[in-house]
Amino acid sequence: MHVEGLAQDTLCIHAGQAADEVSGAVMVPISLSSTFAQDGPGRHKGYDYSRAGNPTRTALESCLAHLEGGKHGIAFGSGCAATSAVLFSLKSGDHVLVGDDVYGGTFRIFDSVLKSWGLDATFLDMSDPGAVRAAIRPNTRLLWLETPSNPKLKIFDIAAIAEIAHEAGVPLAVDNTFATPMLQRPLDLGAKLVVHSTTKYLNGHSDVVGGAVITSDDAIADRLHFLQKSLGAVPSPFDCYMVLRGLKTLGVRMKQHVHNALIIARFLESHAQVERVFYPGLASHTGHAIAARQMKGPGGMISFDLKGGLSAATAFLKALRIFTCAESLGGVESLAEHPAIMTHASVPPETRRALGIGDGFLRLSVGVEDIEDLKQDLERGFHAARNLV
């Protein structure tokens, strides 16, 4: 099917997913073969060994590329593997500017893995594009940011930072996991690379671990394909099939995530036990205007400061019945977690304090359940926390 010009909701279902030529199967088959027959040495039908390429993976990569408005999709076995592959394209002595608020696993790769290999990273608040321009060094080779960021939900101006990166001759990579291409397309705003943990919203059902990078730059894509094959951190055909299956409902899921999250954010903002809410859909959010400009919706993630500190936060999380206390995000089910202890434990305490990730700081992944049930569940948590204050 010719998919150019089709809307995002249609691309989710059809991009890269033509009916199987052999059987006519409407759903992309799971190609489990590890090797492929060749007519002669080097004469194959596009696949020789499944680490280098697989038909099911190709379908996923094509769908993701179309959704992000890119030419090339490169799938990996996890979001961390996708991040690592981008960084493996650099060399010892190179410098990377990184947004100060990033997923704990991403921070760990920069701070505890590649630092020992000679990769230098500077973490800074990219809310001020002028500070980004001033921080670029002669050896800066990459700018990396998340927006909305994890877990403070910071909003960075992609177009402004992309222009600075372009002037410096440095590619900009944007982790678009929280927004998804349904709400934000960084390549359209000037970024060179988009990175995803497909584990999250793209799959949407908390049953797959995966990652991907999308780009329209042929040289970058060639390098990433080489690293994908050489490092071998590739997703299984079954995992690719599962993400494709989840993608088909991405559009309708994101609409419900946004709908529920906005109601929950307003509910939290008016609650006496909440000190502050971080959600770009609220006018009180410092990045609200930028989010309204570069996003089609503020997303399904909310963070907030609960009064009462660690004891209150622990009681709150333990009392929940619909929100599950668990790491990860982006599934149809609602999750709640304590970043300082869970997803961002690898970030040094002093860094967490500087970012405002304290003992009462909680993060919600708002699912697609009935909104009244979700509000009542949060009240159950507040009631338990109130008894400790």
Side-chain angles (χ1 to χ4, degrees):
M1 172 186 284
H2 182 72
V3 297
E4 299 302 326
L6 295 179
Q8 291 284 84
D9 284 347
T10 307
L11 291 175
C12 287
I13 298 169
H14 294 288
Q17 302 169 75
D20 182 56
E21 293 182 0
V22 175
S23 67
V26 173
M27 296 297 294
V28 173
I30 304 172
S31 181
L32 294 176
S33 183
S34 60
T35 189
F36 299 85
Q38 302 187 27
D39 295 333
R43 296 176 58 193
H44 52 73
K45 297 177 176 62
Y47 302 96
D48 53 9
Y49 187 62
S50 216
R51 172 165 46 80
N54 175 280
T56 314
R57 193 167 88 215
T58 296
L60 172 61
E61 292 172 332
S62 177
C63 186
L64 294 175
H66 278 93
L67 285 172
E68 283 288 4
K71 289 174 60 178
H72 310 281
I74 306 98
F76 294 89
S78 69
C80 285
T83 298
S84 297
V86 173
L87 299 181
F88 267 109
S89 66
L90 307 177
K91 64 181 186 302
S92 179
D94 286 348
H95 174 248
V96 185
L97 283 181
V98 190
D100 62 342
D101 187 40
V102 292
Y103 165 55
T106 300
F107 179 89
R108 184 169 52 238
I109 292 170
F110 279 106
D111 187 66
S112 302
V113 179
L114 293 181
K115 179 186 288 187
S116 64
W117 293 18
L119 190 68
D120 187 17
T122 298
F123 295 86
L124 76 161
D125 187 348
M126 293 189 173
S127 300
D128 177 9
V132 176
R133 178 180 280 109
I136 293 177
R137 305 175 186 173
N139 63 331
T140 301
R141 295 293 179 265
L142 179 70
L143 271 61
W144 180 285
L145 62 85
E146 298 174 8
T147 182
S149 67
N150 184 2
K152 290 299 294 294
L153 281 300
K154 288 187 176 183
I155 300 296
F156 301 132
D157 190 330
I158 297 174
I161 297 173
E163 183 177 353
I164 293 168
H166 179 72
E167 292 171 357
V170 177
L172 170 63
V174 177
D175 186 328
N176 203 32
T177 298
F178 272 24
T180 83
M182 307 309 293
L183 303 181
Q184 177 175 271
R185 299 216 307 183
L187 297 182
D188 293 347
L189 298 171
K192 282 286 187 180
L193 304 98
V194 174
V195 181
H196 279 282
S197 169
T198 59
T199 310
K200 312 302 193 300
Y201 286 108
L202 300 186
N203 174 60
H205 294 80
S206 301
D207 52 10
V208 168
V209 172
V213 183
I214 299 94
T215 184
S216 291
D217 188 292
D218 294 340
I220 291 175
D222 287 345
R223 179 62 177 165
L224 288 173
H225 277 299
F226 172 79
L227 290 168
Q228 180 194 48
K229 175 181 178 180
S230 301
L231 297 174
V234 295
S236 73
F238 182 74
D239 285 348
C240 292
Y241 166 82
M242 291 290 281
V243 177
L244 277 169
R245 189 169 185 260
L247 281 171
K248 290 181 181 295
T249 60
L250 178 62
V252 292
R253 285 189 286 108
M254 291 310 297
K255 290 182 179 70
Q256 191 63 31
H257 284 301
V258 171
H259 173 268
N260 282 356
L262 185 56
I263 294 173
I264 294 296
R266 289 169 176 164
F267 165 74
L268 293 172
E269 192 172 43
S270 64
H271 203 285
Q273 290 173 255
V274 175
E275 290 185 2
R276 185 178 178 186
V277 180
F278 303 88
Y279 183 66
L282 297 175
S284 59
H285 192 285
T286 56
H288 177 71
I290 297 173
R293 184 172 71 245
Q294 70 184 18
M295 300 178 71
K296 294 182 179 179
M301 300 299 300
I302 304 171
S303 294
F304 67 99
D305 285 316
L306 176 68
K307 294 179 181 179
L310 182 58
S311 59
T314 301
F316 180 93
L317 291 172
K318 291 178 68 175
L320 300 175
R321 295 294 178 266
I322 297 176
F323 280 86
T324 301
C325 181
E327 297 190 8
S328 199
L329 58 103
V332 292
E333 66 288 321
S334 293
L335 303 178
E337 66 108 6
H338 192 279
I341 295 175
M342 298 167 71
T343 55
H344 289 70
S346 61
V347 178
E350 61 275 13
T351 302
R352 292 199 303 267
R353 284 193 295 271
L355 289 170
I357 304 172
D359 288 341
F361 184 83
L362 300 175
R363 190 191 74 180
L364 304 179
S365 175
V366 181
V368 301
E369 301 95 337
D370 181 84
I371 189 62
E372 292 303 321
D373 288 338
L374 293 179
K375 288 166 66 176
Q376 289 176 19
D377 198 43
L378 292 174
E379 277 293 6
R380 185 181 294 111
F382 283 123
H383 177 76
R386 189 158 54 243
N387 293 334
L388 296 174
V389 177

